[in-house]
CSV table of all heavy atoms in Angstrom, one decimal:
chain,number,residue,atom,x,y,z
H,328,THR,N,32.1,40.1,-33.8
H,328,THR,CA,33.4,39.4,-33.8
H,328,THR,C,33.3,37.9,-34.1
H,328,THR,O,34.3,37.3,-34.4
H,328,THR,CB,34.0,39.5,-32.4
H,328,THR,OG1,33.1,39.0,-31.4
H,328,THR,CG2,34.3,41.0,-32.0
H,329,ALA,N,32.1,37.3,-34.0
H,329,ALA,CA,32.0,35.8,-34.2
H,329,ALA,C,32.5,35.4,-35.6
H,329,ALA,O,33.2,34.4,-35.7
H,329,ALA,CB,30.5,35.4,-33.9
H,330,LEU,N,32.1,36.1,-36.6
H,330,LEU,CA,32.5,35.8,-38.0
H,330,LEU,C,33.4,36.8,-38.6
H,330,LEU,O,33.3,37.1,-39.8
H,330,LEU,CB,31.3,35.5,-38.8
H,330,LEU,CG,30.3,34.4,-38.4
H,330,LEU,CD1,29.1,34.4,-39.3
H,330,LEU,CD2,31.0,33.1,-38.4
H,331,ASP,N,34.2,37.4,-37.8
H,331,ASP,CA,35.1,38.5,-38.2
H,331,ASP,C,35.9,38.1,-39.5
H,331,ASP,O,36.4,37.0,-39.5
H,331,ASP,CB,36.1,38.9,-37.1
H,331,ASP,CG,36.9,40.1,-37.4
H,331,ASP,OD1,36.3,41.2,-37.6
H,331,ASP,OD2,38.2,40.0,-37.4
H,332,PRO,N,36.0,38.9,-40.5
H,332,PRO,CA,35.6,40.3,-40.6
H,332,PRO,C,34.1,40.5,-41.0
H,332,PRO,O,33.7,41.7,-41.1
H,332,PRO,CB,36.5,40.9,-41.7
H,332,PRO,CG,36.6,39.7,-42.6
H,332,PRO,CD,36.7,38.5,-41.7
H,333,GLN,N,33.3,39.5,-41.2
H,333,GLN,CA,31.9,39.7,-41.5
H,333,GLN,C,31.1,39.9,-40.2
H,333,GLN,O,31.4,39.2,-39.2
H,333,GLN,CB,31.4,38.4,-42.3
H,333,GLN,CG,29.9,38.6,-42.7
H,333,GLN,CD,29.5,37.4,-43.5
H,333,GLN,OE1,30.2,36.4,-43.7
H,333,GLN,NE2,28.2,37.4,-43.9
H,334,GLU,N,30.1,40.8,-40.3
H,334,GLU,CA,29.3,41.1,-39.1
H,334,GLU,C,28.0,40.4,-39.2
H,334,GLU,O,27.3,40.4,-40.3
H,334,GLU,CB,29.2,42.6,-39.0
H,334,GLU,CG,28.5,43.0,-37.8
H,334,GLU,CD,28.4,44.6,-37.6
H,334,GLU,OE1,29.5,45.2,-37.9
H,334,GLU,OE2,27.4,45.1,-37.2
H,335,VAL,N,27.5,39.9,-38.1
H,335,VAL,CA,26.2,39.3,-38.0
H,335,VAL,C,25.2,40.3,-37.5
H,335,VAL,O,25.5,41.0,-36.5
H,335,VAL,CB,26.2,38.0,-37.1
H,335,VAL,CG1,24.8,37.4,-37.0
H,335,VAL,CG2,27.2,37.0,-37.6
H,336,PRO,N,24.0,40.5,-38.1
H,336,PRO,CA,23.1,41.4,-37.5
H,336,PRO,C,22.7,41.1,-36.0
H,336,PRO,O,22.6,39.9,-35.7
H,336,PRO,CB,21.8,41.2,-38.4
H,336,PRO,CG,22.4,40.8,-39.7
H,336,PRO,CD,23.6,39.9,-39.3
H,337,VAL,N,22.6,42.1,-35.2
H,337,VAL,CA,22.3,41.8,-33.8
H,337,VAL,C,21.0,41.1,-33.6
H,337,VAL,O,20.9,40.2,-32.7
H,337,VAL,CB,22.3,43.2,-33.0
H,337,VAL,CG1,22.0,43.0,-31.6
H,337,VAL,CG2,23.6,43.9,-33.2
H,338,GLY,N,20.0,41.5,-34.4
H,338,GLY,CA,18.7,40.8,-34.3
H,338,GLY,C,18.7,39.3,-34.5
H,338,GLY,O,17.9,38.6,-34.0
H,339,VAL,N,19.7,38.9,-35.4
H,339,VAL,CA,19.8,37.4,-35.6
H,339,VAL,C,20.3,36.7,-34.3
H,339,VAL,O,19.7,35.7,-33.9
H,339,VAL,CB,20.8,37.2,-36.8
H,339,VAL,CG1,21.1,35.7,-36.9
H,339,VAL,CG2,20.2,37.7,-38.1
H,340,VAL,N,21.2,37.3,-33.6
H,340,VAL,CA,21.8,36.7,-32.4
H,340,VAL,C,20.7,36.7,-31.3
H,340,VAL,O,20.5,35.7,-30.6
H,340,VAL,CB,23.1,37.4,-32.0
H,340,VAL,CG1,23.6,36.8,-30.7
H,340,VAL,CG2,24.1,37.4,-33.1
H,341,THR,N,20.0,37.9,-31.1
H,341,THR,CA,19.0,37.9,-30.1
H,341,THR,C,17.9,36.9,-30.4
H,341,THR,O,17.3,36.4,-29.5
H,341,THR,CB,18.4,39.3,-30.0
H,341,THR,OG1,17.9,39.7,-31.2
H,341,THR,CG2,19.5,40.3,-29.5
H,342,SER,N,17.6,36.7,-31.7
H,342,SER,CA,16.5,35.7,-32.0
H,342,SER,C,17.0,34.3,-31.7
H,342,SER,O,16.2,33.5,-31.2
H,342,SER,CB,16.2,35.8,-33.5
H,342,SER,OG,15.6,37.0,-33.8
H,343,LEU,N,18.3,34.0,-31.9
H,343,LEU,CA,18.8,32.7,-31.6
H,343,LEU,C,18.7,32.4,-30.1
H,343,LEU,O,18.5,31.3,-29.7
H,343,LEU,CB,20.2,32.5,-32.1
H,343,LEU,CG,20.4,32.5,-33.6
H,343,LEU,CD1,21.9,32.5,-34.0
H,343,LEU,CD2,19.7,31.3,-34.2
H,344,VAL,N,18.9,33.5,-29.3
H,344,VAL,CA,18.8,33.3,-27.9
H,344,VAL,C,17.4,33.4,-27.4
H,344,VAL,O,16.9,32.7,-26.5
H,344,VAL,CB,19.6,34.4,-27.2
H,344,VAL,CG1,19.5,34.4,-25.7
H,344,VAL,CG2,21.1,34.3,-27.5
H,345,GLY,N,16.6,34.3,-28.1
H,345,GLY,CA,15.2,34.5,-27.6
H,345,GLY,C,14.2,33.5,-27.9
H,345,GLY,O,13.3,33.3,-27.1
H,346,VAL,N,14.4,32.8,-29.0
H,346,VAL,CA,13.4,31.8,-29.4
H,346,VAL,C,13.3,30.6,-28.4
H,346,VAL,O,12.2,30.3,-27.9
H,346,VAL,CB,13.6,31.2,-30.8
H,346,VAL,CG1,12.8,30.0,-31.1
H,346,VAL,CG2,13.3,32.3,-31.8
H,347,PRO,N,14.4,30.1,-27.9
H,347,PRO,CA,14.3,29.0,-26.8
H,347,PRO,C,13.7,29.6,-25.6
H,347,PRO,O,12.9,28.9,-24.9
H,347,PRO,CB,15.8,28.6,-26.6
H,347,PRO,CG,16.5,28.9,-27.9
H,347,PRO,CD,15.8,30.2,-28.4
H,348,ALA,N,14.1,30.9,-25.2
H,348,ALA,CA,13.5,31.5,-24.0
H,348,ALA,C,12.0,31.7,-24.2
H,348,ALA,O,11.2,31.5,-23.3
H,348,ALA,CB,14.2,32.8,-23.7
H,349,PHE,N,11.6,32.1,-25.5
H,349,PHE,CA,10.2,32.2,-25.8
H,349,PHE,C,9.4,30.9,-25.5
H,349,PHE,O,8.3,30.9,-25.0
H,349,PHE,CB,10.0,32.7,-27.2
H,349,PHE,CG,8.6,33.0,-27.6
H,349,PHE,CD1,8.1,34.3,-27.4
H,349,PHE,CD2,7.8,32.1,-28.3
H,349,PHE,CE1,6.8,34.6,-27.8
H,349,PHE,CE2,6.6,32.4,-28.7
H,349,PHE,CZ,6.0,33.7,-28.4
H,350,VAL,N,10.0,29.8,-26.0
H,350,VAL,CA,9.4,28.5,-25.8
H,350,VAL,C,9.3,28.2,-24.3
H,350,VAL,O,8.3,27.6,-23.9
H,350,VAL,CB,10.2,27.4,-26.6
H,350,VAL,CG1,9.6,26.0,-26.3
H,350,VAL,CG2,10.1,27.7,-28.1
H,351,LEU,N,10.3,28.5,-23.6
H,351,LEU,CA,10.3,28.3,-22.1
H,351,LEU,C,9.2,29.0,-21.4
H,351,LEU,O,8.5,28.5,-20.6
H,351,LEU,CB,11.7,28.6,-21.5
H,351,LEU,CG,11.8,28.4,-20.0
H,351,LEU,CD1,11.6,27.0,-19.6
H,351,LEU,CD2,13.1,28.9,-19.5
H,352,VAL,N,9.0,30.3,-21.8
H,352,VAL,CA,8.0,31.1,-21.3
H,352,VAL,C,6.6,30.5,-21.6
H,352,VAL,O,5.7,30.5,-20.8
H,352,VAL,CB,8.1,32.6,-21.7
H,352,VAL,CG1,6.9,33.4,-21.3
H,352,VAL,CG2,9.3,33.2,-21.2
Side-chain angles (χ1 to χ4, degrees):
T328 59
L330 299 179
D331 187 60
Q333 184 178 357
E334 183 175 321
V335 180
V337 179
V339 172
V340 182
T341 57
S342 296
L343 291 175
V344 176
V346 169
F349 185 85
V350 173
L351 178 61
V352 172

